[in-house]
Amino acid sequence: MLANKLSHNIKTISFFVTILILAIVPIIVKSPYYLDLIIVTIVYAVMAMTFIILLKTGLVSLGLAVFWGLGAYTSAILVMKLGLSFWIGLPAGAIVAGLFAFVLSPFLLKSGGITFLLLNAVLGLLFIVIIGNSTFLGMYTGINNIPEVDPIKLPFLPVIEFVSKIPYYYLGLILLIVIVLVVSAFNATKIGKAWTAIGLKPRLAESIGINVYRYRMYAFVLASAIAGLIGAFWAHYEGFIQPNGFNMWMTNYFQLYAILGGIGHGIAGPLLGAAIMKFFPEMIRFTQQLGNIITGVLLILLILFLPRGILSLFDKKRKFGEGFIFIRNWAKSSFTINRKEVKK
Amino acid sequence: MTSQNGEAVLEIKELTKEFGGVQAVNALSFKVFKNEILGIIGPNGAGKTTVINMVSGFSPSTHGNIIFENNNITKLKAHQIASLGIGRNFQSSFLFMDLTVIENVYLAFHLNYKSKIWAQLLRLPSVRQEENELKRKAEVILEEMGLSSIKNEITRNLPHGYQRMLGVCIALATQPKLLLLDEPMTGMNQNEIQIMLSLVKGIREKGITIVMIEHNMSAVLQLCDRLIVLNHGQKIAEGIPQEIISNKFVIEAYLGKE
């Protein structure tokens, strides 16, 4: 009990310390180039978090980027065609993506596992083809000149204009914090506990009265709404979106970030994974073409020796070299996820 | 001992299950009375587990009806049946292996939450109180089942006998009115069987009706008020244990014809 309380306090303290460090980043990092990398890292990490939300309930999606794109297009269209403010486009992106997931749930989730994975992949292809052929949505060339975020006018304070990277950084950071708080709040509820049970043993979960379909739908809608929210931010930050920017490769990258960081750590894992994959190639840029090969080899080694991600180094129980067994089991069971990997 | 004139908790009518052309269970009918322990016995492949899977909603029946407390539950899903008050364990050790013993039981309290989801999201004090209450309840269940000394062990590392008991604890956490036990004593040593016997008796004393599949005949004879014997998916005998063991058809089914 005491140990529990202590670890809870440590978590709270480390959460606030992390926020404090992140809050002073723009004071230390002056270069807009590096600030841009950090903002992109935040967006990608959030997307990797949506992968883990779904994985926790035993679902693997190949269409994460679709809901990211839905949020981006929703906000861009609302702001550019209807002249609404970004501050409406942002929540609208989340709502549209969440609603879309809700409507699709009966088709995607009823038969579970592999159907969900493949139908999401199909969804990803449809998304690109439909938008690519719609003049209203800008065809394959996409939408240019998406306006910047509307200035924030608060009483007694100077107007915050989104002209440099710094306000974008803070907006992204606030969104990240809100998302982290919402996800942790959900994890602490009955819903979060049902997710854990479903991820570990769906049949046992059913036998204790958990409606597997319904709780998977909650996870799907939540993950999609989060993707939509960060997608809306992304559209206005980049100022330019095209359907191919939301293809399956992006989904694969998000999955990679989560796996690299550690899928047992729903928040820190994606952040670490995305940060490494964004900054490491920059650090070895001097190697020129060799850079991709070095990154690739390192990734393979990391996944072989640390299949539960870098953060699993700090887990209490860990077997060395379990990667080979993990890969072999994974290949054997092809698409059934190794549920051992999903900790609560 | 419960008389057969009592109120039927569960009634099974003409229940049939076909796998392809094979009839695993064939037009099976029986009643389970309030607060009794009904044993289902029979040779391997007689269709005993299939019956439990059909009653608990894990395997849809081909024909027939299952009536639980005057509700027809034949077409309901497994989670709906669990919420009506039918708990079950599984034949193999089917547990949340990577969690601790107490976490296993705590997770199984899914149906017990009273507070609204928004209150849980905001972590109101009443919600924390409810969670502590449930944690305490989980400890009570473990204590009654004699597992409190190992409550913080990881389930995977437990000996087989303890895992079987934990399976029953998880089923109990759903607060069932009817408990379906699928071979609770398989693979246990004599000592563990004695413990399990007294535990099952204890569960019945709490007012829970029990339907039990078991191979260990001495345990069955000690525990069960009535027995049903299945062979090739059909009921070949029903009655009190003393009658059953002298029944000619039962002896034939187990030992073969002379």
Side-chain angles (χ1 to χ4, degrees):
Chain A
M1 214 55 201
L2 187 74
N4 245 340
K5 207 155 209 173
L6 205 67
S7 79
H8 182 76
N9 283 345
I10 290 172
K11 261 188 189 165
T12 320
I13 291 167
S14 60
F15 178 73
F16 282 111
V17 170
T18 317
I19 289 180
L20 202 72
I21 294 170
L22 288 174
I24 58 169
V25 161
I27 300 169
I28 305 159
V29 182
K30 291 274 190 259
S31 140
Y33 174 72
Y34 281 109
L35 217 48
D36 173 67
L37 279 183
I38 296 173
I39 297 169
V40 175
T41 300
I42 291 177
V43 172
Y44 286 3
V46 167
M47 287 308 297
M49 283 175 202
T50 68
F51 170 66
I52 292 186
I53 295 172
L54 289 172
L55 189 68
K56 221 183 139 205
T57 68
L59 295 172
V60 177
S61 169
L62 281 178
L64 299 171
V66 173
F67 299 92
W68 188 42
L70 266 175
Y73 270 93
T74 304
S75 186
I77 297 292
L78 286 181
V79 171
M80 292 175 77
K81 308 265 172 172
L82 297 180
L84 294 172
S85 147
F86 164 80
W87 302 107
I88 293 171
L90 181 73
I95 292 167
V96 167
L99 269 181
F100 195 63
F102 177 74
V103 172
L104 285 175
S105 286
F107 309 102
L108 298 182
L109 284 171
K110 272 287 184 218
S111 10
I114 189 86
T115 328
F116 181 78
L117 180 135
L118 289 175
L119 287 178
N120 262 295
V122 173
L123 204 63
L125 298 174
L126 278 177
F127 177 82
I128 293 169
V129 173
I130 290 171
I131 290 182
N133 287 293
S134 148
T135 29
F136 180 71
L137 298 171
M139 312 286 280
Y140 281 105
T141 43
I143 302 177
N144 279 312
N145 301 322
I146 301 169
E148 63 210 22
V149 171
D150 297 65
I152 304 172
K153 294 184 186 110
L154 291 173
F156 314 115
L157 284 172
V159 177
I160 303 168
E161 301 248 26
F162 285 78
V163 282
S164 76
K165 302 273 181 209
I166 296 171
Y168 278 104
Y169 170 76
Y170 281 113
L171 179 58
L173 185 63
I174 289 167
L175 288 178
L176 174 72
I177 293 168
V178 169
I179 288 165
V180 166
L181 288 176
V182 168
V183 173
S184 330
F186 267 99
N187 281 340
T189 63
K190 170 185 173 176
I191 297 180
K193 285 170 192 129
W195 287 341
T196 307
I198 293 168
L200 292 170
K201 283 238 158 75
R203 273 168 74 83
L204 185 57
E206 265 184 274
S207 86
I208 54 178
I210 293 171
N211 185 341
V212 172
Y213 167 73
R214 184 194 294 172
Y215 284 96
R216 279 186 167 163
M217 184 187 81
Y218 291 162
F220 186 37
V221 171
L222 178 68
S224 303
I226 289 172
L229 186 77
I230 210 71
F233 169 74
W234 177 252
H236 294 268
Y237 173 65
E238 283 286 291
F240 161 70
I241 47 175
Q242 61 172 26
N244 271 314
F246 305 103
N247 62 14
M248 209 191 296
W249 285 114
M250 292 311 296
T251 302
N252 294 147
Y253 276 118
F254 301 147
Q255 294 168 338
L256 175 67
Y257 301 150
I259 293 167
L260 182 66
I263 47 180
H265 303 261
I267 290 148
L271 278 169
L272 182 68
I276 289 173
M277 286 303 291
K278 275 282 126 200
F279 282 88
F280 182 71
E282 298 302 322
M283 289 187 314
I284 56 162
R285 183 168 264 196
F286 63 89
T287 57
Q288 295 177 352
Q289 284 99 324
L290 270 179
N292 277 340
I293 297 174
I294 295 173
T295 317
V297 169
L298 280 177
L299 274 178
I300 291 171
L301 287 177
L302 267 170
I303 292 193
L304 277 178
F305 288 102
L306 285 173
R308 293 174 190 221
I310 294 169
L311 286 176
S312 71
L313 280 173
F314 304 102
D315 287 349
K316 276 175 207 146
K317 280 175 192 154
R318 192 174 60 83
K319 282 185 217 122
F320 190 74
E322 63 188 346
F324 293 104
I325 302 164
F326 175 72
I327 299 274
R328 196 189 61 204
N329 289 345
W330 186 79
K332 261 189 194 167
S333 58
S334 60
F335 283 108
T336 48
I337 311 156
N338 194 339
R339 293 187 203 287
K340 266 183 263 171
E341 295 306 300
V342 190
K343 288 231 168 125
K344 57 156 192 162
Chain B
M1 194 171 291
T2 330
S3 76
Q4 295 209 14
N5 309 325
E7 178 194 348
V9 178
L10 180 76
E11 189 175 356
I12 290 187
K13 291 179 183 165
E14 301 284 316
L15 198 63
T16 301
K17 174 79 188 178
E18 288 171 9
F19 291 110
V22 184
Q23 287 196 324
V25 175
N26 189 4
L28 178 71
S29 301
F30 65 87
K31 284 183 180 178
V32 183
F33 298 98
K34 201 167 169 50
N35 211 12
E36 76 172 340
I37 301 182
L38 175 75
I40 301 180
I41 59 170
N44 283 327
K48 303 177 300 270
T49 300
T50 312
V51 173
I52 285 207
N53 282 342
M54 282 191 283
V55 174
S56 58
F58 278 86
S59 165
S61 54
T62 320
H63 302 293
N65 285 305
I66 306 165
I67 316 286
F68 176 65
E69 293 188 323
N70 302 324
N71 298 315
N72 191 334
I73 59 165
T74 320
K75 296 270 178 277
L76 295 188
K77 300 231 168 61
H79 66 88
Q80 292 169 317
I81 291 174
S83 66
L84 284 176
I86 299 185
R88 70 164 295 177
N89 75 339
F90 290 86
Q91 205 171 41
S92 52
S93 291
F94 203 66
L95 308 161
F96 302 120
M97 286 293 180
D98 294 300
L99 304 184
T100 62
V101 170
I102 186 108
E103 282 169 336
N104 265 273
V105 183
Y106 181 56
L107 266 192
F109 279 125
H110 178 78
L111 291 168
N112 297 43
Y113 286 92
K114 298 272 183 300
S115 46
K116 294 271 181 297
I117 208 68
W118 58 264
Q120 293 189 25
L121 280 171
L122 296 172
R123 309 244 344 112
L124 297 182
S126 64
V127 174
R128 283 165 196 266
Q129 205 179 343
E130 184 179 36
E131 283 179 356
N132 288 333
E133 184 72 13
L134 289 179
K135 274 182 189 144
R136 203 184 53 76
K137 270 190 181 172
E139 288 188 13
V140 169
I141 289 183
L142 287 177
E143 197 157 312
E144 284 172 355
M145 298 291 285
L147 296 182
S148 31
S149 58
I150 50 154
K151 66 179 181 191
N152 292 323
E153 298 279 327
I154 299 288
T155 309
R156 184 179 300 286
N157 306 334
L158 293 181
H160 178 77
Y162 283 132
Q163 292 188 352
R164 307 289 304 149
M165 287 181 203
L166 181 55
V168 179
C169 291
I170 291 176
L172 279 178
T174 63
Q175 319 272 308
K177 295 174 211 158
L178 172 66
L179 183 61
L180 310 173
L181 295 178
D182 195 351
E183 306 201 357
M185 292 160 208
T186 313
M188 283 186 167
N189 62 32
Q190 209 50 44
N191 207 359
E192 289 168 333
I193 287 179
Q194 285 311 318
I195 298 173
M196 197 71 190
L197 279 175
S198 62
L199 291 177
V200 175
K201 279 178 194 156
I203 294 169
R204 189 252 289 271
E205 269 157 32
K206 286 197 284 186
I208 298 171
T209 314
I210 297 171
V211 173
M212 185 172 86
I213 295 177
E214 187 51 59
H215 274 298
N216 185 319
M217 278 312 281
S218 78
V220 168
L221 294 177
Q222 280 182 60
L223 268 183
C224 296
D225 303 318
R226 283 192 309 130
L227 288 181
I228 284 178
V229 189
L230 292 188
N231 193 19
H232 298 303
Q234 278 172 319
K235 185 166 78 177
I236 57 169
E238 180 174 3
I240 60 168
Q242 286 77 6
E243 279 170 25
I244 295 292
I245 49 171
S246 52
N247 184 308
K248 158 171 134 248
F249 296 108
V250 177
I251 296 168
E252 262 177 25
Y254 270 92
L255 302 173
K257 279 183 190 167
E258 278 181 31

